[in-house]
Amino acid sequence: MHTLTLPAPAKLNLWLHIIGRRADGYHELETVFQFLDHGDELSFAVRDDGAIRLHTEIEAVPHDSNLIVRAARMLQAQSGTMLGADIWLTKILPMGGGIGGGSSDAATTLLALAHLWQLDWDEDRLAALGLSLGADVPVFVRGHAAFAQGVGEQLTPVDPIEPWYVVLVPQVSVSTAEIFSHPQLTRDSLPLKMRPVPEGNSRNDCQPVVEQSYPEVRNALNSLGKFTEARLTGTGSCVFGAFPSKAEADKVLALLSATQTGFVAKGSNISMLHRKLQSLIKKSSA
């Protein structure tokens, strides 16, 4: 197989606690990641000349700075392969939305090229490489909903309920660095002692700061909050609420569509990327 098309799914932080700040400036977190059946799509073709080419321009992101290109080149260098890749991106997920667009694209790139280049790399090795690109990359590499600790890289698989979500996308990009450096950010949440992680612990310690700094996000939370508990995901701009059926989620989004932009997606504890890869592996071994 010399070409491959794979999804790069979105994620939600079902809740997010900041329990401290390390000497290196990074924050110690506790959070639960769950995937959405909604995301970007990437296509890959093998090159024999070793070049890495992303053929889709992303506004305000230079080619060589794109996480997709950085992931491909890092895997290429670490593996020693002489092969390269042509890459095309269908961009669906917003930048700065807190739903993992760039990190998910990087993880899909690592998994796709490890497959196409026929590298003998296991998930642990790919996840470790992904961590050097971003704290959220490992969970996308592993592809299972997880309770995360550390900076988000210490992952324990979990299986929360899989509802339908309305995700609202305020037209603003929230800077993670800005939120994590904000003087009013709460950084003293107590670590959870219960295992398994309890359901319904939905506080996001970043939400008050984001609401204060971005009225568009506050308006989205207030709008969705009229129908269900509305929460911020990660440090981004997107807000979400859970519903028991697609019909109910669709109805609420339709009611909000006059003032809000968003989408409906199913929550999934196994990412659609990994479901697609497993399907491909089964077909190739049949």
mmCIF file of all heavy atoms in Angstrom, residues 222-240:
data_model
loop_
_atom_site.group_PDB
_atom_site.id
_atom_site.type_symbol
_atom_site.label_atom_id
_atom_site.label_comp_id
_atom_site.label_asym_id
_atom_site.label_seq_id
_atom_site.Cartn_x
_atom_site.Cartn_y
_atom_site.Cartn_z
ATOM 1 N N ASN A 222 -23.384 30.306 27.926
ATOM 2 C CA ASN A 222 -24.716 30.710 28.388
ATOM 3 C C ASN A 222 -25.802 30.175 27.454
ATOM 4 O O ASN A 222 -26.865 29.719 27.907
ATOM 5 C CB ASN A 222 -24.803 32.232 28.477
ATOM 6 C CG ASN A 222 -23.990 32.795 29.632
ATOM 7 O OD1 ASN A 222 -23.677 32.080 30.581
ATOM 8 N ND2 ASN A 222 -23.622 34.059 29.547
ATOM 9 N N SER A 223 -25.551 30.209 26.141
ATOM 10 C CA SER A 223 -26.547 29.742 25.170
ATOM 11 C C SER A 223 -26.797 28.251 25.317
ATOM 12 O O SER A 223 -27.942 27.797 25.407
ATOM 13 C CB SER A 223 -26.076 30.057 23.742
ATOM 14 O OG SER A 223 -25.994 31.444 23.531
ATOM 15 N N LEU A 224 -25.725 27.462 25.334
ATOM 16 C CA LEU A 224 -25.869 26.014 25.442
ATOM 17 C C LEU A 224 -26.357 25.611 26.827
ATOM 18 O O LEU A 224 -27.081 24.616 26.984
ATOM 19 C CB LEU A 224 -24.530 25.336 25.128
ATOM 20 C CG LEU A 224 -24.518 23.811 25.039
ATOM 21 C CD1 LEU A 224 -25.549 23.302 24.028
ATOM 22 C CD2 LEU A 224 -23.128 23.308 24.682
ATOM 23 N N GLY A 225 -25.980 26.411 27.829
ATOM 24 C CA GLY A 225 -26.378 26.111 29.203
ATOM 25 C C GLY A 225 -27.871 26.191 29.460
ATOM 26 O O GLY A 225 -28.348 25.715 30.500
ATOM 27 N N LYS A 226 -28.623 26.746 28.537
ATOM 28 C CA LYS A 226 -30.078 26.771 28.678
ATOM 29 C C LYS A 226 -30.695 25.394 28.434
ATOM 30 O O LYS A 226 -31.856 25.163 28.771
ATOM 31 C CB LYS A 226 -30.677 27.785 27.695
ATOM 32 C CG LYS A 226 -30.289 29.225 27.992
ATOM 33 C CD LYS A 226 -30.758 30.167 26.893
ATOM 34 C CE LYS A 226 -30.304 31.596 27.172
ATOM 35 N NZ LYS A 226 -30.641 32.514 26.049
ATOM 36 N N PHE A 227 -29.909 24.476 27.818
ATOM 37 C CA PHE A 227 -30.442 23.165 27.446
ATOM 38 C C PHE A 227 -29.791 22.004 28.203
ATOM 39 O O PHE A 227 -30.386 20.949 28.365
ATOM 40 C CB PHE A 227 -30.246 22.940 25.945
ATOM 41 C CG PHE A 227 -30.925 23.972 25.093
ATOM 42 C CD1 PHE A 227 -30.238 25.090 24.653
ATOM 43 C CD2 PHE A 227 -32.265 23.830 24.757
ATOM 44 C CE1 PHE A 227 -30.862 26.053 23.866
ATOM 45 C CE2 PHE A 227 -32.898 24.791 23.979
ATOM 46 C CZ PHE A 227 -32.197 25.902 23.533
ATOM 47 N N THR A 228 -28.543 22.186 28.649
ATOM 48 C CA THR A 228 -27.810 21.121 29.336
ATOM 49 C C THR A 228 -26.622 21.758 30.033
ATOM 50 O O THR A 228 -26.344 22.949 29.835
ATOM 51 C CB THR A 228 -27.328 20.044 28.337
ATOM 52 O OG1 THR A 228 -26.764 18.945 29.044
ATOM 53 C CG2 THR A 228 -26.280 20.603 27.376
ATOM 54 N N GLU A 229 -25.909 20.995 30.838
ATOM 55 C CA GLU A 229 -24.688 21.517 31.445
ATOM 56 C C GLU A 229 -23.664 21.781 30.344
ATOM 57 O O GLU A 229 -23.317 20.886 29.566
ATOM 58 C CB GLU A 229 -24.108 20.514 32.439
ATOM 59 C CG GLU A 229 -22.853 21.036 33.133
ATOM 60 C CD GLU A 229 -22.211 20.004 34.044
ATOM 61 O OE1 GLU A 229 -22.622 18.832 34.012
ATOM 62 O OE2 GLU A 229 -21.277 20.382 34.766
ATOM 63 N N ALA A 230 -23.215 23.025 30.246
ATOM 64 C CA ALA A 230 -22.264 23.416 29.207
ATOM 65 C C ALA A 230 -20.884 23.584 29.823
ATOM 66 O O ALA A 230 -20.736 24.190 30.888
ATOM 67 C CB ALA A 230 -22.703 24.716 28.543
ATOM 68 N N ARG A 231 -19.871 23.044 29.140
ATOM 69 C CA ARG A 231 -18.519 23.055 29.681
ATOM 70 C C ARG A 231 -17.523 23.477 28.604
ATOM 71 O O ARG A 231 -17.752 23.257 27.414
ATOM 72 C CB ARG A 231 -18.134 21.657 30.183
ATOM 73 C CG ARG A 231 -18.923 21.202 31.399
ATOM 74 C CD ARG A 231 -18.756 19.716 31.645
ATOM 75 N NE ARG A 231 -19.752 18.938 30.914
ATOM 76 C CZ ARG A 231 -19.782 17.618 30.872
ATOM 77 N NH1 ARG A 231 -18.857 16.917 31.494
ATOM 78 N NH2 ARG A 231 -20.721 16.982 30.197
ATOM 79 N N LEU A 232 -16.417 24.025 29.056
ATOM 80 C CA LEU A 232 -15.301 24.343 28.179
ATOM 81 C C LEU A 232 -14.441 23.092 28.010
ATOM 82 O O LEU A 232 -14.272 22.309 28.944
ATOM 83 C CB LEU A 232 -14.464 25.456 28.808
ATOM 84 C CG LEU A 232 -13.274 25.984 27.998
ATOM 85 C CD1 LEU A 232 -13.771 26.925 26.909
ATOM 86 C CD2 LEU A 232 -12.286 26.716 28.910
ATOM 87 N N THR A 233 -13.868 22.902 26.814
ATOM 88 C CA THR A 233 -12.925 21.807 26.625
ATOM 89 C C THR A 233 -11.503 22.353 26.566
ATOM 90 O O THR A 233 -11.223 23.303 25.820
ATOM 91 C CB THR A 233 -13.217 20.983 25.361
ATOM 92 O OG1 THR A 233 -12.183 19.996 25.184
ATOM 93 C CG2 THR A 233 -13.309 21.829 24.113
ATOM 94 N N GLY A 234 -10.611 21.783 27.349
ATOM 95 C CA GLY A 234 -9.211 22.182 27.357
ATOM 96 C C GLY A 234 -9.042 23.648 27.691
ATOM 97 O O GLY A 234 -9.738 24.195 28.547
ATOM 98 N N THR A 235 -8.110 24.290 26.987
ATOM 99 C CA THR A 235 -7.901 25.728 27.161
ATOM 100 C C THR A 235 -8.374 26.485 25.926
ATOM 101 O O THR A 235 -7.993 27.637 25.709
ATOM 102 C CB THR A 235 -6.406 26.033 27.382
ATOM 103 O OG1 THR A 235 -5.663 25.550 26.249
ATOM 104 C CG2 THR A 235 -5.895 25.372 28.644
ATOM 105 N N GLY A 236 -9.189 25.820 25.103
ATOM 106 C CA GLY A 236 -9.604 26.435 23.848
ATOM 107 C C GLY A 236 -10.914 27.172 23.946
ATOM 108 O O GLY A 236 -11.419 27.459 25.034
ATOM 109 N N SER A 237 -11.486 27.457 22.802
ATOM 110 C CA SER A 237 -12.715 28.255 22.753
ATOM 111 C C SER A 237 -13.977 27.408 22.703
ATOM 112 O O SER A 237 -15.072 27.903 22.992
ATOM 113 C CB SER A 237 -12.682 29.166 21.514
ATOM 114 O OG SER A 237 -12.596 28.397 20.326
ATOM 115 N N CYS A 238 -13.871 26.133 22.313
ATOM 116 C CA CYS A 238 -15.072 25.326 22.093
ATOM 117 C C CYS A 238 -15.732 24.925 23.410
ATOM 118 O O CYS A 238 -15.058 24.625 24.402
ATOM 119 C CB CYS A 238 -14.738 24.070 21.296
ATOM 120 S SG CYS A 238 -14.266 24.403 19.587
ATOM 121 N N VAL A 239 -17.051 24.903 23.384
ATOM 122 C CA VAL A 239 -17.826 24.468 24.548
ATOM 123 C C VAL A 239 -18.749 23.334 24.105
ATOM 124 O O VAL A 239 -19.117 23.231 22.936
ATOM 125 C CB VAL A 239 -18.632 25.628 25.166
ATOM 126 C CG1 VAL A 239 -17.717 26.797 25.508
ATOM 127 C CG2 VAL A 239 -19.730 26.105 24.238
ATOM 128 N N PHE A 240 -19.107 22.475 25.054
ATOM 129 C CA PHE A 240 -19.871 21.288 24.683
ATOM 130 C C PHE A 240 -20.884 20.940 25.753
ATOM 131 O O PHE A 240 -20.768 21.321 26.914
ATOM 132 C CB PHE A 240 -18.928 20.096 24.445
ATOM 133 C CG PHE A 240 -18.221 19.602 25.695
ATOM 134 C CD1 PHE A 240 -18.725 18.534 26.415
ATOM 135 C CD2 PHE A 240 -17.060 20.215 26.138
ATOM 136 C CE1 PHE A 240 -18.085 18.081 27.560
ATOM 137 C CE2 PHE A 240 -16.402 19.772 27.281
ATOM 138 C CZ PHE A 240 -16.920 18.698 27.993
#
